[in-house]
Amino acid sequence: MYLARSHLASGKRIQWIKLYPVFCLVLLATSPAIFLGEGNRNLGLITFMFISPIFMLGKTLSTEAILLLGFAFSIVFFPALMHSGGTRWGTIFYSLMFCALFISYDRILRRGFLRIAVFVKIVRYLIILYAVVLIIQQICVLIGLPIFNLNNYDPAEPWKLNSLSAEPSHSARILGLLMLSYILGRRLSDRMTATPKVSRKQNIYVWLCFFWTMITMLSATSLIMIAIVMLTYIQKNRVHNYVFGLLLSSVVIFLLPDRLTGRVIDLSLAFLTLDYVEVLRADHSGAMRVAPMLVLLDYVEVFSANGFFGNGVDSVGFFLSDYIWGIKEGASGGGLLALWYEYGVIAFSFFVLFTLKATAAVKAPANFLIWFLLIFIAGVNSQMVWLAIILLHSLNYYSRRAEEITKFDY
């Protein structure tokens, strides 16, 4: 009887371990309006991260986990030693929860509890779900009903809808990232498993859902993400796929409003000047992601105590509004350069090395673009940053497994 109960308890524990990475991917990829708190923080995800240390299985640590622990150590101890009086520990604790989430996911992934076929299926369902929710929202706008799952809505732009994330630009980034993961995941699944492939009909549905959402949500970010997805699609394909990808991209750009494509072009050209004033003049909304980083280029340093150990948590907010007009006093930004300024070059180096390693950013152009646009520019305490890290880390892991299987077959 005792053995039977033990076996049953063990079986339930294994099922929970298998469900954990599924919940992790779904909660990182979505932000239902019902879960959003102050500052669009996903309270459902925060609750999940709080319990994530329970799932830290095993004793060995991957290289990525070791680098991440170095980062965690530096953001805890350097502020405590250098700026103990005014340190905002809530910000640090939030970062530590993301670290715990990654390490627990990484250990479960390496123990084989998330098969590649399941990973691809989750990503496919998420792409379809984004399209379904957006279509429901569009129908609500069309017939005048209260809009389902609404957040960050401007009645002046009634068709600019958020779908399953906090706002349309977030949905564009997330959906582009999911589609990239779907394309690469399918290729790896075909190499690794003998299970039935995704049918042509299912694949067409996914592409239709992707393009419908990206085109009709009216976000300028969609254009950039579509370009990255098409770059991923045509890599290592035959000539006819290059032609198809080029034609499809041309059609999509033609369907997007001129004001969206113009914003992307103007902001890109302004960014090349490395002048934050020119970037703000080109597109103030889009500039909020890159202009603070250009300001911080003149502030970060190496060969000083503050350069090594940082100027203090959230210290960027002390001066950023002096340079960036249209933001509240105390607002922060600057991506990973803000991490450098606030925590020092040691913490910055640990996090950059961790993210480059986890995402395989130096191995593929698309991965590097994702790393720069969704991680380097964004910072640390962002749900989307960790979605990008975990999705690309999963693909990197499956890629290594596929190489091992291929060598074994030979």
Side-chain angles (χ1 to χ4, degrees), residues 344-356:
V345 70
I346 297 174
F348 169 81
S349 299
F350 270 122
F351 195 76
V352 166
L353 290 173
F354 155 68
T355 53
L356 288 174

Side-chain angles (χ1 to χ4, degrees), residues 221-236:
T221 310
S222 298
L223 182 62
I224 299 172
M225 298 309 296
I226 288 172
I228 294 175
V229 167
M230 297 313 299
L231 174 66
T232 304
Y233 175 75
I234 64 176
Q235 281 183 330
K236 298 180 180 179

Side-chain angles (χ1 to χ4, degrees), residues 141 147 150-162 167-168:
V141 172
I147 303 173
L150 189 65
N151 194 64
N152 280 338
Y153 184 65
D154 182 2
E157 297 181 280
W159 299 105
K160 197 169 183 179
L161 299 157
N162 62 297
E167 60 180 75

Side-chain angles (χ1 to χ4, degrees), residues 57-319:
L57 307 174
K59 297 179 180 179
T60 59
L61 291 172
S62 63
T63 304
E64 293 88 343
I66 293 171
L67 290 170
L68 189 56
L69 286 175
F71 164 74
F73 177 90
S74 62
I75 65 171
V76 170
F77 287 97
F78 293 164
L81 291 172
M82 302 293 293
H83 311 280
S84 57
T87 297
R88 294 181 59 179
W89 290 104
T91 302
I92 294 174
F93 184 68
Y94 197 40
S95 300
L96 294 178
M97 286 199 296
F98 277 120
C99 294
L101 181 73
F102 175 86
I103 292 172
S104 57
Y105 179 90
D106 177 55
R107 286 186 170 183
I108 289 174
L109 179 69
R110 290 175 184 279
R111 292 189 63 180
F113 287 109
L114 182 63
R115 294 181 295 110
I116 178 68
V118 176
F119 174 84
V120 172
K121 187 177 291 186
I122 294 168
V123 171
R124 178 162 59 92
Y125 286 160
L126 283 169
I127 294 170
I128 294 170
L129 195 57
Y130 262 88
V132 170
V133 172
L134 181 62
I135 290 170
I136 292 172
Q137 290 180 328
Q138 290 167 339
I139 292 173
C140 291
V141 172
L142 187 64
I143 63 181
L145 290 175
I147 303 173
F148 172 70
N149 197 55
L150 189 65
N151 194 64
N152 280 338
Y153 184 65
D154 182 2
E157 297 181 280
W159 299 105
K160 197 169 183 179
L161 299 157
N162 62 297
S163 187
L164 270 175
S165 78
E167 60 180 75
S169 64
H170 290 188
S171 290
R173 292 181 183 85
I174 292 170
L175 200 62
L177 184 58
L178 289 172
M179 194 65 197
L180 179 145
S181 301
Y182 173 74
I183 293 168
L184 297 178
R186 274 195 65 204
R187 292 175 185 170
L188 291 169
S189 180
D190 292 344
R191 290 171 56 190
M192 292 173 62
T193 66
T195 55
K197 300 178 181 180
V198 176
S199 69
R200 182 181 294 271
K201 187 177 181 181
Q202 290 174 324
N203 193 44
I204 290 173
Y205 283 153
V206 172
W207 278 100
L208 287 175
C209 287
F210 169 71
F211 279 118
W212 176 266
T213 308
M214 295 296 270
I215 292 171
T216 64
M217 73 170 55
L218 300 180
S219 171
T221 310
S222 298
L223 182 62
I224 299 172
M225 298 309 296
I226 288 172
I228 294 175
V229 167
M230 297 313 299
L231 174 66
T232 304
Y233 175 75
I234 64 176
Q235 281 183 330
K236 298 180 180 179
N237 271 294
R238 297 174 182 173
V239 174
H240 73 272
N241 282 335
Y242 282 85
V243 175
F244 174 73
L246 181 62
L247 291 175
L248 198 56
S249 300
S250 301
V251 170
V252 169
I253 293 171
F254 176 77
L255 291 174
L256 285 169
D258 290 341
R259 62 183 179 85
L260 296 184
T261 54
R263 283 180 60 193
V264 173
I265 294 171
D266 291 343
L267 185 61
S268 300
L269 293 175
F271 180 73
L272 293 176
T273 67
L274 298 181
D275 184 342
Y276 74 92
V277 175
E278 291 299 321
V279 173
L280 288 168
R281 287 173 179 167
D283 180 9
H284 190 275
S285 176
M288 288 300 96
R289 301 179 183 93
V290 293
M293 187 171 64
L294 296 177
V295 171
L296 286 174
L297 284 173
D298 293 328
Y299 277 86
V300 292
E301 53 187 347
V302 177
F303 301 109
S304 69
N306 287 339
F308 269 92
F309 305 114
N311 292 270
V313 181
D314 296 334
S315 56
V316 170
F318 296 156
F319 62 86

